[in-house]
């Protein structure tokens, strides 16, 4: 909502929705990249991409509702900047220990699973006992972000986490992480 009120409305206020062209979108993108933040820093391509995504969504809605024959985003090359995804950061041993110490008892095995396997939250919370076998977690295609199944190795620490969870829940549920009622 703030993007609409602070960014899009002032820029496109005089332009009716059907009058927004691909060129207008290119000019808007270039202009937004030049605008300084409140701290006086240059605006990041990622921030401009979030603004462009909001605008594209609004124009998609206008197209769906018959206010535009075609979304102007579709009339040329992608208007999104390539974002740098190279920054990867891992927790240090001390940070991981602090995180685990701060966990409530019911969350600790979930967080340990994330640390041991690198699995996503949705994969962990949907984890089923039948997927855990032969020293691997066999994630089906529907659980994967890519739509392809994948196998996650179970290290010794994770094997201990799973054994403890199994001991506590007595296999009352097909789900690995569940409450005391399954």
């Amino acid at each position: 909502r703030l993007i609409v009120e602070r960014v899009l409305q002032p820029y496109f206020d005089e332009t009716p929705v059907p009058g927004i062209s691909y060129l207008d979108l290119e000019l808007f993108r270039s202009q937004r990249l030049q605008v300084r933040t409140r701290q006086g820093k240059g605006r990041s391509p990622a921030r401009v991409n979030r603004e462009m995504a909001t605008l594209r969504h609004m124009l998609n809605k206008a197209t769906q509702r018959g206010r535009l024959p075609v979304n102007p985003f579709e009339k040329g090359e992608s208007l999104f900047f390539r974002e740098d995804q190279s920054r990867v950061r891992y927790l240090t041993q001390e940070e991981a220990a602090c995180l685990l110490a701060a966990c409530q008892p019911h969350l600790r095995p979930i967080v340990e699973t994330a640390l041991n396997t690198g699995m996503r939250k949705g994969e962990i919370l949907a984890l089923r006992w039948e997927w855990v076998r032969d020293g691997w977690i066999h994630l089906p295609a529907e659980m994967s972000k890519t739509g392809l199944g994948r196998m996650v190795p179970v290290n010794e620490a994770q094997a201990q986490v799973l054994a403890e969870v199994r001991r506590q829940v007595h296999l009352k549920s097909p789900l690995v992480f569940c409450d005391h009622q399954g």
Side-chain angles (χ1 to χ4, degrees), residues 27-41:
L27 293 172
F28 171 74
R29 179 185 76 154
S30 297
Q31 184 263 342
R32 289 304 297 161
L33 194 58
Q34 303 306 315
V35 173
R36 294 284 201 204
T37 65
R38 285 185 229 154
Q39 292 79 24
K41 298 179 182 176

Side-chain angles (χ1 to χ4, degrees), residues 81-100:
F81 292 110
R82 185 174 216 63
E83 294 181 32
D84 181 13
Q85 302 292 327
S86 63
R87 187 181 93 155
V88 176
R89 179 174 155 355
Y90 299 97
L91 294 180
T92 64
Q93 293 284 352
E94 295 79 25
E95 290 171 327
C98 287
L99 175 62
L100 290 171

Side-chain angles (χ1 to χ4, degrees), residues 36-135:
R36 294 284 201 204
T37 65
R38 285 185 229 154
Q39 292 79 24
K41 298 179 182 176
R43 192 163 303 278
S44 72
R47 180 70 227 159
V48 175
N49 282 349
R50 301 299 86 69
E51 295 168 355
M52 295 297 288
T54 301
L55 182 55
R56 181 178 59 185
H57 176 75
M58 292 171 63
L59 293 173
N60 278 338
K61 289 294 182 188
T63 303
Q64 290 169 2
R65 294 178 180 153
R67 305 244 354 249
L68 278 175
V70 176
N71 186 334
F73 273 90
E74 307 302 321
K75 294 183 177 183
E77 294 180 14
S78 174
L79 291 167
F80 292 88
F81 292 110
R82 185 174 216 63
E83 294 181 32
D84 181 13
Q85 302 292 327
S86 63
R87 187 181 93 155
V88 176
R89 179 174 155 355
Y90 299 97
L91 294 180
T92 64
Q93 293 284 352
E94 295 79 25
E95 290 171 327
C98 287
L99 175 62
L100 290 171
C103 286
Q104 295 192 12
H106 70 285
L107 290 179
R108 186 178 173 106
I110 295 169
V111 173
E112 285 179 303
T113 299
L115 290 171
N116 289 328
T117 65
M119 291 169 57
R120 295 178 185 91
K121 179 177 82 168
E123 294 170 337
I124 294 170
L125 297 179
L127 184 59
R128 297 171 133 350
W129 287 113
E130 66 193 69
W131 299 347
V132 180
R133 61 185 184 277
D134 306 322

Side-chain angles (χ1 to χ4, degrees), residues 161-175:
V161 170
L162 292 170
E164 181 60 24
V165 169
R166 186 179 298 250
R167 188 186 65 71
Q168 288 176 357
V169 298
H170 305 293
L171 293 177
K172 292 179 186 173
S173 171
L175 295 171

